[in-house]
Every structure is written in C-alpha cells, then in structure tokens.
Amino acid sequence: MKKWVKKLAIGIVIPGILVLGGCGASKSGGTASGSGKSGIHQRTIKAGIGLNEDHPEGQGMIKFKELVEKKSGGKMKVQNFFSATLGDDQKMTEALQGGLQEVTVPSTSPLVGMIKEYGIFDFPFVFNTEEEAYAVLDGKVGQELLKKLPEHGLVGLGYWENGFRNLTNSKHPVKTAADFKGLKIRTMQNEVHLDAFKQLGANPSPMAFSEVFTALEGKTVDGQENPLATIKSSKYDEVQSYLSMTKHVYTPFVFLVSKKFWDGLSKEEQKIMKDSAVEAGKYQRDLNRKENEKALKDLEKAGMKVNEVSDAEKEKMKEIIKPVTDKYAKKFGEDLVKQMMGEVDKVRNQ
C-alpha cells in the first residue's frame, strides 16, 4: 500500500513540476519572461520591410536596430528582413495583427482598407514640399490617425518617408495630362490612385510591388509610379526608358508595431522602441532626400530620358482629377481634409 501511495505521489508531483517549469520558460518576442514587468528583458524583434537593404528605408531599419540594441544594452535584438522576404506590406501588417511579427514599416496606402482616413495621404498634388508633408504627419492630423491603429491590433510610433512619386514608362515622355491616355500603369491596390489614373485616361493595373519588375520587363504593363530612390534601388532603369517628374503624390511610411507585442513590453522597453523609431526616422528622412537627389542623377546616367512637368500642367492634372478628390473627401471626412489643407497653408504662408 505504501509503495502504491509513493508511486502516485511521484506521478502527480513530476508532471506538476514540468508544467510549472514550462510556464516560466522564456520565449522570444512579446511573450518573453517578464512581459509587462519593469526593466529590460531578453527579446528578439522580427522586423520586415518590402524594400531592399540599400534603400533609405532599409538603411533606416539598420539604424533602428543599432539604436534599440544600444539603448537596451544588447538585451533587445532586432532581426531585420528586407526585400519582402516575409511578404508584401499587407501580409506583414496582418502578421503584426496576429502577433507573428513584431515590426513593419509600410506605406500608409495599404492601411486604407482598415482605416479609411489614411486615404487622405493618397490625394494627388496635395503637397509641394517635404516640409508641408512633415507638418501634417508630425502634427495633429498625423498623430490622430496613429491613435486609430490600436483597435486594429497595431501601434504606430511615427512616420518615415517614402517620398514624392514619379512616373516611369516604356512608351513616351509624360509632360501633359493628355500623355497619360492609354498608358497601362502599375499602381498599388488603392482606390484613390486607381480612380485618379482612370480620370487622367490611363489604364491602372494594381499588383504587388514584388511583381513589378517582371511585369515591366515582360511588357505586361507600360509603366509604374514610385519615388526616385525606389526606382533606382529596384533597377527600373533596366526596363523603362522614360522618367517624368510628376511628383503627383507624396507617400509616407508608417512605423508599425504589433499591439500584442507592445502590450507585453515594460514601460522602459516601450520607450526604447519609441525613441529608436523616432530617431531612426529623422535619419531615414534626411537620407531619403539625399538619395533622391543622387538617384535622379544616376538614373539619367543610366540612360533614362528625364523630363520635368510644369506647375501649370500639374494644375491642369489636379483640375481633371478634382471629381475624384471631391468624392473621396466625402468618404474619408471633409473636416479632416480641410484640417490637412489648413496645415499645408500654414507652412506655405510662413
């Protein structure tokens, strides 16, 4: 009888120890030992972007990694993944929502499906300079939009810079609104972009960024539109002849963190993440502007035929697509659009 009782006790105690031991085991990411407690803990932060390491965004991610690891004394490690290794912007954003990835820095455009107000940044010809965009993004409008992210499983730590988008194609220079007619242009899956290009007479074709080079090479589409640094880093000069400086849209990046991960961080760790994202963002913006200037020269040297678009022609384009912007101003919020334009006017009148 005693032997039976002893065996029973051992059978109960040992599994109990294993369970308790498993509960205390440290894991990477937001479920690490000490989640939510004070102090800095050992963590691995998986961060992915769609662009390559040489792009200013990639360099910004490298800076973010350096800052986080330095500020945390090496306890918080950032593992960077470039060139859409973890999927496109949409897939990585969904991975953050599911807690499968900690950080991504997409353009704001893919967020419009969940937060319609982000669509205001897709309106063509809103900003003339980067400073005008910064005033909106870093001011009340941009910060209020960041507050909408947590209910969707995301936390926004600020805005980086994608930049002004310009048009490339393999057919002819685009100097006037009439030159858009008939061009099959790859765009993001974004309703404002699609409708605006249709209004200009083009045939927009949405597709994932990772598919663009092949589509251009195979003549599936005639052209695409992206900031200069992206055009250069993606080597579109190899499959495109004409670069038209339309500067039709300014696109920001938004620095996103998984809310599931964020909620498991201590206040000290959250501060490290926030400070590092902001500091790396300032570095990235400055680098992006410098790289755009260099990229334009490099693309010309590579043989692309570059043309400017006059302010008068941009105004004509803006007038043509006004029905589109009016339509989406009602959808996204006319008061929000007025607030954005008010911030822009303040900068212009300084």
Side-chain angles (χ1 to χ4, degrees):
M1 181 69 178
K2 289 182 180 178
K3 287 183 180 179
W4 179 84
V5 172
K6 187 175 180 181
K7 287 180 180 179
L8 177 62
I10 291 171
I12 293 172
V13 171
I14 290 178
I17 291 172
L18 290 174
V19 170
L20 289 172
C23 290
S26 177
K27 298 179 182 179
S28 65
T31 55
S33 178
S35 293
K37 296 180 180 178
S38 63
I40 303 170
H41 306 276
Q42 297 286 344
R43 299 186 185 277
T44 299
I45 301 163
K46 187 161 58 175
I49 61 171
L51 293 165
N52 62 41
E53 187 174 351
D54 294 334
H55 189 277
E57 187 188 28
Q59 292 300 301
M61 293 305 295
I62 291 171
K63 175 63 71 174
F64 173 72
K65 171 183 170 68
E66 291 172 358
L67 291 168
V68 168
E69 294 182 358
K70 181 179 179 181
K71 292 176 186 292
S72 68
K75 289 185 176 180
M76 298 172 72
K77 304 285 188 185
V78 178
Q79 190 176 8
N80 280 325
F81 295 85
F82 305 103
S83 303
T85 305
L86 301 180
D88 60 21
D89 285 350
Q90 190 69 40
K91 289 180 181 177
M92 287 190 283
T93 300
E94 291 170 357
L96 262 64
Q97 292 174 302
L100 303 175
Q101 183 178 327
E102 285 71 56
V103 169
T104 190
V105 190
S107 295
T108 52
S109 298
L111 297 179
V112 179
M114 70 175 81
I115 302 171
K116 65 180 182 180
E117 291 85 353
Y118 268 108
I120 65 173
F121 298 132
D122 293 311
F123 284 5
F125 305 110
V126 170
F127 304 114
N128 292 333
T129 66
E130 287 87 353
E131 285 74 20
E132 292 174 1
Y134 300 162
V136 172
L137 294 166
D138 301 338
K140 187 176 180 181
V141 172
Q143 299 310 302
E144 285 299 315
L145 289 179
L146 290 182
K147 292 178 183 178
K148 295 180 178 291
L149 290 165
E151 64 185 279
H152 298 279
L154 303 166
V155 174
L157 301 187
Y159 298 96
W160 289 13
E161 182 166 274
N162 194 347
F164 284 102
R165 306 179 79 86
N166 296 286
L167 182 72
T168 71
N169 80 94
S170 58
K171 297 291 187 180
H172 55 249
V174 173
K175 296 181 180 180
T176 69
D179 294 329
F180 279 97
K181 191 173 182 179
L183 282 180
K184 191 169 185 180
I185 302 170
R186 176 269 172 183
T187 69
M188 290 182 284
Q189 181 63 55
N190 178 283
E191 55 187 356
V192 180
H193 288 202
L194 291 170
D195 283 359
F197 279 114
K198 286 177 185 176
Q199 192 75 12
L200 287 167
N203 297 319
S205 179
M207 69 176 64
F209 179 76
S210 58
E211 300 171 9
V212 178
F213 186 94
T214 302
L216 293 170
E217 187 177 37
K219 307 296 184 183
T220 304
V221 292
D222 301 318
Q224 62 81 51
E225 43 87 51
N226 261 301
L228 293 172
T230 303
I231 294 170
K232 178 190 169 184
S233 67
S234 302
K235 300 182 179 179
Y236 292 152
D237 57 282
E238 296 180 4
V239 289
Q240 297 276 267
S241 301
Y242 302 95
L243 167 59
S244 301
M245 301 297 290
T246 50
K247 292 183 69 175
H248 52 279
V249 172
Y250 175 93
T251 306
F253 287 126
V254 57
F255 194 104
L256 299 179
V257 180
S258 165
K259 188 175 185 297
K260 287 186 178 181
F261 171 69
W262 183 260
D263 289 346
L265 297 177
S266 66
K267 289 183 178 179
E268 294 95 326
E269 291 168 327
Q270 288 179 349
K271 187 175 188 304
I272 287 171
M273 292 283 289
K274 173 70 174 177
D275 290 349
S276 297
V278 171
E279 189 175 338
K282 291 177 180 176
Y283 167 83
Q284 189 271 339
R285 280 178 175 177
D286 182 59
L287 184 63
N288 197 67
R289 293 177 73 165
K290 291 176 181 176
E291 179 56 31
N292 277 332
E293 292 175 7
K294 184 177 182 298
L296 180 57
K297 294 177 183 177
D298 290 344
L299 290 167
E300 284 185 291
K301 287 180 181 177
M304 292 196 83
K305 298 170 185 175
V306 180
N307 70 272
E308 294 291 333
V309 179
S310 70
D311 291 340
E313 285 299 329
K314 288 178 185 176
E315 282 300 317
K316 288 180 183 178
M317 294 174 192
K318 186 175 181 179
E319 190 60 30
I320 290 171
I321 62 175
K322 190 175 185 298
V324 174
T325 53
D326 287 347
K327 169 186 171 182
Y328 287 103
K330 291 178 182 177
K331 180 175 181 178
F332 302 146
E334 290 179 300
D335 288 341
L336 183 63
V337 174
K338 287 178 183 177
Q339 193 176 356
M340 174 175 70
M341 296 313 301
E343 291 298 325
V344 171
D345 288 340
K346 282 182 186 178
V347 178
R348 289 178 184 172
N349 295 327
Q350 284 178 355

